[in-house]
Amino acid sequence: MRLGWSAADTIVVTAVVAIAAALRLPALGRIPVTMLGDEAALALEAVRLMEHAQVDPFAVGWHSHPLMWSFLQSLCMRAFGDGAAGARILSALVGSATVGTTYFFGRLLYGQRVAAIGALLLATYHFHIHFSRLAIFNIADPLFGTAILGALIVGLRTRRAAAFGGAGILLGLTLYFYPGARLFILLVALLGLIQVVPRLLTYNRRPLPLPRQAVLLLVGGALTAAAPLLQTYGQAPQAFTARLRANTITAPGWLREEARSSHMPAGRLLLRQFERAALAFSLYPSTDDFYDDRRPLLWGLAALLLPVGLGLALRRFGEPAYRLPLLWAVLAVIFGGALLKDPPESARYVTLAPVVCLLIAIAIEQALLLLRRLRLGWPCVPQIAGTVLTLYLAAASVVGYFVDYLPNRQPGGPNTHAANALAHYLERQPAGTKVWFLGMPRMYYHGFPMLDFLAPQVDADDALTIWVMPPPKPGYTTVYAVLPEHRAELEATEKSYPGGIEEALPWPAEPGPMVYVYWVSQPAASDTACGRRFSRAPTRAGGTGREAGSTCQPDTHP
């Protein structure tokens, strides 16, 4: 591969992956403390797989997403526990592995120094750390991207069939994860056209850089890996495009309605879509609840270095090493931003994390070369300056995430925070606890999957009465939970069923209590009722977890 791989490369890649793991693996159940609805929904699918309610990893599940991610999650949850940490550990492992593949990808294209800087920046990049700590499959996109393109580069350099076949298999596997990973099928096809079409148009008889056998291996590998899922999509073709139909601006009537509500002509509206999508890392904050909605995806000096790296790459666009990340970025901005509703959404830009870090590394490398040309007197000045700048960017990113963002902001909106506050309270309650929740019309209990995932042992229902809620369940703990706007109904319930304990449930970074709960225990008539031990199974509306045995548990407040 003409890499000249040395012991220094091995040491560097080991070190950056270790740093990445140290920032992603610890305290997964508590950082971030908020569990998002998408995390819990995917984790509930993993619970179903663990309990053999669904045993086909090639099927589709929640929101027509393939079940492969939840299948892998279920394996991790068997090994590391079925709580939030067990559900998130797969993302942390995938995020850490991406740092290693990014180093290899950068090493193939730019050499040791750019690869090392880019990998260290990715290991400490707050945006990538955050999504490595969420139990959602967006984090797999950059791993697939760097691995696929790395294998393709190796194949072009060595003409090894295994490299092309491996790239094809990885391309096929992208279909099993987040729909955004399909971007790499387009990217590989576009790279092939760029190589082939100019030679066909000029009747150039030189051998093509991508031989016919390589194309067959790529296509064959992709079809082989994707075949089981393609069979599923063949039986239910609407599942393949379900997410695209729901999120793209091509939905019937969207452009007309948006132009009317924003008082913009259609052309200006489309230009705004592209502008917001293209400037997600430097100007516009995220519009979703997955990450920080106050500032763009790059902070401080890093946001200034990215345009420099982009400019340097554009200047050398004719070279494949610089063309490749630029095409990756352009396709992601178009298909992950401009063509989707309400850009930029942070979850759709995770794929670009390695590209952004490598472009910043290119800018730093160019600055070091400029310092070397200036001949300031000491040959070590460029190396020292580059090291200090890289370490500063890395430290600023880590501190900005763990010290600035998490204590002051949490992913998700007020309803998600309220659901988490209640879920963490309920997961400490004894099995069989009856829960009545009054949150309508703003919230319904089973509309927030983290409640079913974190507290599967309770029997929960929405209270539809507007004043006194149903009586306590004899022989069990009963919890009445209300949103702050329903505090009066809770007070009326307390007067009807006295003797319980009221608590206000706060949540980090929220100004006041998110939920009020009233805990009351109603003795059984014969006082022989014992609590029942339940298996960890997601509860559904009107039902409880499955009984796994009987054990006496006193009805005392935990």
Side-chain angles (χ1 to χ4, degrees):
M1 293 180 287
R2 301 194 299 274
L3 277 182
W5 190 275
S6 65
D9 289 292
T10 303
I11 292 171
V12 170
V13 73
T14 303
V16 292
V17 170
I19 292 169
L23 294 172
R24 286 159 175 79
L25 287 169
L28 280 171
R30 295 182 285 107
I31 302 175
V33 65
T34 299
M35 186 174 217
L36 297 173
D38 285 12
E39 290 186 88
L42 289 167
L44 283 173
E45 294 283 13
V47 170
R48 290 176 54 220
L49 287 161
M50 289 173 65
E51 296 176 342
H52 306 294
Q54 169 61 263
V55 295
D56 183 6
F58 306 112
V60 295
W62 173 72
H63 277 196
S64 298
H65 288 303
L67 281 175
M68 182 59 73
W69 177 265
S70 294
F71 178 78
L72 297 175
Q73 263 187 325
S74 71
L75 300 179
C76 291
M77 290 166 70
R78 287 181 187 275
F80 300 102
D82 56 358
R88 287 171 169 174
I89 196 167
L90 177 60
S91 296
L93 294 173
V94 168
S96 301
T98 304
V99 174
T101 57
T102 298
Y103 180 84
F104 184 70
F105 177 62
R107 185 74 170 81
L108 285 167
L109 293 180
Y110 311 112
Q112 189 179 75
R113 183 157 58 191
V114 170
I117 294 173
L120 179 59
L121 292 178
L122 182 64
T124 56
Y125 186 15
H126 53 87
F127 176 44
H128 195 260
I129 292 173
H130 179 71
F131 276 88
S132 298
R133 287 181 161 273
L134 300 180
I136 56 177
F137 47 15
N138 306 61
I139 193 63
D141 285 12
L143 178 64
F144 276 115
T146 50
I148 289 167
L149 296 176
L152 194 58
I153 294 167
V154 171
L156 289 170
R157 289 188 182 179
T158 65
R159 293 293 194 269
R160 289 184 181 273
F164 291 115
I169 290 171
L170 289 170
L171 273 177
L173 291 177
T174 59
L175 295 178
Y176 292 91
F177 296 90
Y178 184 61
R182 300 171 191 176
L183 166 78
F184 300 113
I185 298 175
L186 291 176
L187 179 56
V188 170
L190 181 59
L191 291 171
L193 289 175
I194 289 174
Q195 294 287 344
V196 172
V197 170
R199 300 194 178 203
L200 294 178
L201 293 177
T202 58
Y203 301 99
N204 193 323
R205 296 186 178 275
R206 286 186 300 169
L208 293 173
L210 197 63
R212 187 178 306 167
Q213 294 86 346
V215 175
L216 292 174
L217 286 165
L218 277 168
V219 175
L223 291 176
T224 301
L229 186 61
L230 292 177
Q231 182 179 3
T232 299
Y233 285 140
Q235 298 169 354
Q238 70 280 0
F240 183 76
T241 58
R243 302 307 300 159
L244 295 177
R245 293 197 308 270
N247 295 318
T248 59
I249 62 175
T250 57
W254 180 88
L255 187 60
R256 182 178 62 254
E257 291 299 322
E258 191 69 15
R260 184 171 60 183
S261 62
S262 62
H263 305 290
M264 287 185 183
R268 177 69 184 94
L269 182 60
L270 293 175
L271 183 61
R272 187 190 69 173
Q273 284 279 116
F274 185 81
E275 175 188 343
R276 296 182 66 87
L279 298 177
F281 286 93
S282 55
L283 184 60
Y284 292 105
S286 174
T287 57
D288 60 20
D289 290 328
F290 284 95
Y291 196 40
D292 197 346
D293 60 356
R294 300 172 301 167
R295 48 190 175 182
L297 300 176
L298 277 177
W299 306 336
L301 183 57
L304 299 177
L305 289 172
L306 177 60
V308 176
L310 273 171
L312 292 169
L314 282 169
R315 184 180 175 186
R316 303 175 68 174
F317 185 78
E319 302 176 33
Y322 293 91
R323 183 191 307 137
L324 197 156
L326 286 175
L327 292 176
W328 183 349
V330 169
L331 290 178
V333 166
I334 294 173
F335 293 99
L339 295 182
L340 300 180
K341 299 173 185 177
D342 201 22
E345 295 190 1
S346 59
R348 294 163 178 162
Y349 283 80
V350 180
T351 181
L352 287 181
V355 175
V356 166
C357 292
L358 287 172
L359 288 173
I360 293 174
I362 290 170
I364 294 174
E365 166 79 358
Q366 193 62 34
L368 300 186
L369 293 176
L370 182 60
L371 283 176
R372 185 173 296 169
R373 293 193 194 99
L374 292 177
R375 297 181 181 180
L376 297 176
W378 293 285
C380 60
V381 168
Q383 287 82 354
I384 294 174
T387 301
V388 170
L389 178 57
T390 303
L391 292 178
Y392 167 76
L393 292 173
S397 181
V398 172
V399 171
Y401 180 68
F402 289 103
V403 178
D404 181 26
Y405 171 70
L406 286 177
N408 300 306
R409 298 286 295 174
Q410 282 289 321
N415 290 351
T416 299
H417 297 164
N420 272 269
L422 179 58
H424 283 275
Y425 175 83
L426 293 179
E427 68 180 343
R428 302 192 301 269
Q429 304 304 319
T433 296
K434 181 64 184 179
V435 179
W436 290 104
F437 176 67
L438 183 56
M440 61 176 191
R442 182 156 67 95
M443 288 179 62
Y444 292 86
Y445 187 93
H446 295 288
F448 289 81
M450 70 283 292
L451 286 160
D452 287 329
F453 176 71
L454 294 174
Q457 83 286 5
V458 305
D459 174 15
D461 285 295
D462 289 292
L464 302 179
T465 57
I466 60 173
W467 283 108
V468 179
M469 286 184 272
K473 183 179 180 181
Y476 289 88
T477 298
T478 300
V479 173
Y480 299 96
V482 303
L483 296 180
E485 58 263 33
H486 293 292
R487 182 79 184 278
E489 288 93 321
L490 186 65
E491 291 174 351
T493 302
E494 291 177 26
K495 291 177 182 178
S496 299
Y497 316 124
I501 300 173
E502 180 186 323
E503 288 187 48
L505 307 181
W507 199 246
E510 290 287 354
M514 304 304 295
V515 180
Y516 289 94
V517 296
Y518 178 62
W519 178 94
V520 62
S521 178
Q522 182 71 35
S526 63
D527 201 30
T528 59
C530 291
R532 289 176 174 82
R533 180 165 46 88
F534 283 67
S535 66
R536 171 168 276 278
T539 59
R540 296 290 181 259
T544 65
R546 288 194 297 279
E547 192 172 308
S550 177
T551 174
C552 283
Q553 295 185 15
D555 283 322
T556 55
H557 188 257

